[in-house]
Amino acid sequence: MSNDLDMDTVNEELDHLHALIQSHATTILSSSLSHPTLPSQDSLAKSSASLLTRLPLTGYGLDFTINHLLESVAPALNGSSLSSNYYGFVTGGATPAARLADNLVTLYDQNAAVHLPNESIATVVEDRALIMLLELLHFDPEIWRGRTFTTGATASNVLGLACGREMILQLRLAKTGTHGDGAVGELGILESCRRAGVDHIQVLTTIPHSSVRKAASIVGLGRASVVDVGVEGAPLAFDFAKLASLMSHPRCASIVVVSCGEVNTGGFATHSMDEVLKLRNLCDEYGAWLHVDGGMLIDSFTNSESNITDNFAQAFGIFARALTGPEFGRVARCAQYLESADSITGDAHKMLNVPYDCGFFFCAYPNIAQEVFHNPNAAYLNNGADASDHIPSPLNIGIENSRRFRGLPVYATLMAYGQAGYVDMLERQVRFTRAVVSFLDAHESFDILPEELQGSPELMEQMFIIVLFRAKDAYLNSQLVSRINATSKIYVSGTVWNGLPAARFAVSNWQVDHKRDLALVEAMIDGVLKTWRTDQRIVSPRKEVIREPPRDASEMWPEGSRFALKEAREEISTEENQSVHREMKEKK
């Protein structure tokens, strides 16, 4: 770009670079189905070496910069959104409609924080997008009038706990006759608690996701305020006796968090209308706030025989509400009855498949959110809407005073594909997940987890989008995730189950194709198994020298294991090794 900003020169350069970027995008998108899930180590090293280490005194210019981004930076980015075969974190993807709309977001660069209906339609579009999202999830928009977009479910959990903190202290202050001055939003947490006669605010939940503890820290409750009230032996299910006992403490105020989803296997804290109503009644009795964490997946599983089938079914919480049809009945049922909550969070950049970052927050008490988040003494932030306009400025019901126009991609994708399109997308994802489960459950070298589900006649009905498994051979299992991911064809995440390594499939991309993707997964898994067996034969052809398998993850590679392996290798003569290599060469 010229220093004198000659517009003819600028426009000519921009036209050239836009064409360059468009060509790059077309190439990437047209080959997205074969796009590597991970960049090569060589690409990462080259990209890292090419990055600037200091601010340049004189800029390199737009042309050089764009070429640097396309040629050096882009090859080192992963394919988590581009590829349907990325099964690590639940990252979703970006539908064509959402991706194109996101380009418009950048082009027009709206600050969708203040509702100015006479100046921009941005906040109206966002409200319509939120209404359509509520309808997709079968929630009544008239009930959930406190609604906004956030950066993600973590920020939404901050909103949920902040609103809950405000409400429960307002209720306590009302009993003392001092609620006219407001609560935490006005007085602060210490003064509010002092006036309300509250010594402690507790967040009661079952196997909470880390984002709930993080949110508790941010809003001043502290991570230690999060208390697990799960049933012993079935930790995701609520222990209602314990819950009632803790809520009944006279100088404690409570927020109850229901976890809607499970990171490793797909558990859910409630699975019937009776349980949700129990929670609602306890909250009403003790003046507690009921919050649903529907965007994150947490880490637990219920072993209770009465709950195993229903609780396991809920692998990604809130979006299961959109499913229809008898084959998905058990999964969908687990996400029902959440209308009794006071607030709900979720991630749109995951299952809705819109670009990062985009979360949502629904609240049944819009005035509470405004009491917490409104901007005082800022007349210039007032909107120009008339009294009949019920859309609040997002900056007065959320964290940010300035933010991206996140709602446009949501509006576009829901408009383009509608309810039927999203139901089809979810059904394809669930059917593919169940096909992977069927393949692994029947495989002689792998086990589906939890163990209780192996070979179960109801296994398929309980699966949503998460598959947890491990190799039966302990040594292969210790390397399984890294070997799968090294193929760059598919990507899975590693976790720990009952003290031992495990691998996890998380299916969330809109491009999923049952037959195509299953064929690839089967080929990659069998290929990894074959390669591992070959490697084992070269290193240790005599099985009797292999050590006993470890009992848990801490013993997978204990101190001194290198010496055990060295001793095993020493038992194999040079002649035997040469024989193995000759045999392998002949087979090739």
Side-chain angles (χ1 to χ4, degrees):
M1 182 179 292
S2 60
N3 291 331
D4 59 2
L5 295 178
D6 176 74
M7 290 310 299
D8 289 337
T9 304
V10 169
N11 288 333
E12 184 178 340
E13 188 175 21
L14 285 176
D15 286 344
H16 163 67
L17 293 174
H18 283 154
L20 192 63
I21 293 173
Q22 181 61 46
S23 175
H24 175 82
T26 301
T27 300
I28 292 298
L29 293 174
S30 64
S31 61
S32 63
L33 294 179
S34 59
H35 194 280
T37 56
L38 293 180
S40 67
Q41 293 302 306
D42 183 58
S43 294
L44 288 168
K46 288 180 178 178
S47 180
S48 180
S50 74
L51 298 178
L52 298 183
T53 57
R54 300 290 297 274
L55 175 67
L57 179 63
T58 302
Y60 287 89
L62 187 56
D63 187 77
F64 181 91
T65 300
I66 295 301
N67 277 283
H68 167 68
L69 297 181
L70 297 180
E71 296 172 8
S72 298
V73 176
L77 301 176
N78 68 38
S80 59
S81 178
L82 291 169
S83 173
S84 65
N85 305 121
Y86 182 93
Y87 308 117
F89 305 107
V90 183
T91 57
T95 66
R99 183 181 289 112
L100 291 171
D102 201 55
N103 289 330
L104 291 178
V105 173
T106 299
L107 178 64
Y108 285 94
D109 196 24
Q110 304 285 285
N111 179 6
V114 183
H115 179 51
L116 299 169
N118 296 321
E119 300 176 22
S120 173
I121 201 170
T123 50
V124 179
V125 170
E126 288 208 335
D127 192 62
R128 299 292 171 83
L130 288 162
I131 288 172
M132 288 193 289
L133 182 55
L134 283 163
E135 290 173 341
L136 175 67
L137 300 175
H138 302 295
F139 288 121
D140 185 351
E142 290 301 312
I143 293 175
W144 302 97
R145 298 189 66 86
R147 49 188 183 245
T148 191
F149 286 111
T150 68
T151 56
T154 302
S156 295
N157 277 333
V158 171
L159 268 62
L161 295 194
C163 290
R165 178 194 63 184
E166 184 75 15
M167 174 67 95
I168 59 179
L169 287 177
Q170 280 195 18
L171 292 174
R172 291 298 184 95
L173 287 167
K175 291 181 179 180
T176 66
T178 59
H179 64 289
D181 295 330
V184 180
E186 190 66 33
L187 303 174
I189 191 167
L190 293 178
E191 181 62 15
S192 296
C193 286
R194 186 188 69 79
R195 294 189 185 188
V198 171
D199 294 332
H200 179 58
I201 298 176
Q202 55 191 356
V203 180
L204 306 175
T205 185
T206 59
I207 316 293
H209 189 272
S210 61
S211 65
V212 174
R213 297 188 190 276
K214 182 175 184 176
S217 173
I218 292 171
V219 302
L221 305 181
R223 288 182 287 271
S225 71
V226 181
V227 181
D228 197 314
V229 290
V231 174
E232 184 177 355
L236 191 54
F238 277 96
D239 183 330
F240 284 97
K242 184 177 180 180
L243 182 65
S245 176
L246 289 171
M247 295 173 75
S248 66
H249 290 179
R251 297 187 67 83
C252 275
S254 304
I255 299 170
V256 177
V257 176
V258 178
S259 300
C260 190
E262 201 275 323
V263 71
N264 277 332
T265 61
F268 187 61
T270 59
H271 64 282
S272 70
M273 181 175 65
D274 289 343
E275 289 187 357
V276 177
L277 290 179
K278 263 188 180 181
L279 289 174
R280 180 70 268 169
N281 291 336
L282 282 172
C283 288
D284 290 342
E285 180 179 355
Y286 295 107
W289 181 269
L290 184 57
H291 174 68
V292 172
D293 178 12
M296 301 302 295
L297 300 178
I298 63 172
D299 191 6
S300 72
F301 170 71
T302 172
N303 293 307
S304 167
E305 184 176 351
S306 62
N307 291 334
I308 184 171
T309 56
D310 289 320
N311 285 14
F312 183 74
Q314 188 55 34
F316 201 84
I318 204 163
F319 279 92
R321 292 175 63 90
L323 286 169
T324 59
E327 66 181 297
F328 309 109
R330 179 166 288 174
V331 171
R333 185 180 68 224
C334 292
Q336 302 306 310
Y337 320 120
L338 299 179
E339 295 83 354
S340 297
D342 297 309
S343 58
I344 297 173
T345 70
D347 275 318
H349 53 226
K350 293 182 179 178
M351 299 300 288
L352 200 65
N353 276 247
V354 299
Y356 274 77
D357 52 18
C358 186
F360 54 87
F361 175 69
F362 301 141
C363 180
Y365 301 92
N367 291 338
I368 287 293
Q370 295 202 42
E371 290 182 32
V372 175
F373 297 106
H374 84 274
N375 285 255
N377 305 320
Y380 73 99
L381 293 178
N382 291 334
N383 64 39
D386 58 41
S388 63
D389 191 334
H390 298 293
I391 300 176
S393 285
L395 61 81
N396 286 327
I397 57 173
I399 297 170
E400 302 155 303
N401 276 12
S402 301
R403 70 168 179 82
R404 185 174 172 83
F405 186 12
R406 293 191 187 95
L408 186 61
V410 175
Y411 179 86
T413 196
L414 290 174
M415 179 180 183
Y417 310 114
Q419 182 173 359
Y422 269 92
V423 169
D424 173 71
M425 181 196 305
L426 286 167
E427 288 180 349
R428 282 188 284 110
Q429 292 167 349
V430 176
R431 289 185 179 120
F432 169 65
T433 301
R434 293 177 176 181
V436 172
V437 170
S438 179
F439 164 68
L440 292 170
D441 192 45
H443 204 293
E444 62 179 5
S445 298
F446 299 98
D447 284 329
I448 287 291
L449 300 172
E451 293 83 353
E452 291 85 350
L453 293 176
Q454 294 169 12
S456 166
E458 298 179 327
L459 178 60
M460 292 302 108
E461 295 179 27
Q462 301 166 40
M463 287 293 165
F464 188 24
I465 63 162
I466 302 292
V467 183
L468 187 67
F469 69 104
R470 69 163 55 110
K472 292 181 179 180
D473 185 284
Y475 296 108
L476 171 57
N477 195 52
S478 69
Q479 308 166 23
L480 183 59
V481 170
S482 61
R483 282 178 174 267
I484 291 174
N485 294 342
T487 68
S488 289
K489 298 294 185 181
I490 65 174
Y491 181 90
V492 301
S493 59
T495 187
V496 173
W497 183 259
N498 287 340
L500 287 172
R504 189 191 72 140
F505 270 83
V507 181
S508 60
N509 194 283
W510 66 275
Q511 300 174 93
V512 164
D513 180 274
H514 179 165
K515 292 182 179 180
R516 179 198 67 217
D517 294 340
L518 180 62
L520 178 62
V521 167
E522 290 179 349
M524 290 301 102
I525 294 294
D526 283 337
V528 164
L529 182 62
K530 183 178 180 180
T531 302
W532 179 81
R533 285 171 173 167
T534 299
D535 293 346
Q536 287 296 103
R537 188 176 183 195
I538 291 174
V539 174
S540 299
R542 284 171 54 181
K543 292 184 179 180
E544 62 269 24
V545 302
I546 300 298
R547 294 180 292 121
E548 289 295 317
R551 290 170 298 192
D552 57 49
S554 65
E555 296 182 4
M556 189 59 67
W557 296 110
E559 187 67 27
S561 62
R562 71 187 70 177
F563 303 111
L565 182 59
K566 181 175 182 292
E567 291 172 1
R569 285 173 171 166
E570 286 175 349
E571 291 189 28
I572 306 168
S573 69
T574 302
E575 183 179 348
E576 286 176 315
N577 271 330
Q578 290 175 346
S579 174
V580 171
H581 283 288
R582 282 196 301 272
E583 183 179 342
M584 294 300 299
K585 188 174 181 180
E586 289 170 0
K587 286 185 177 180
K588 288 181 180 179

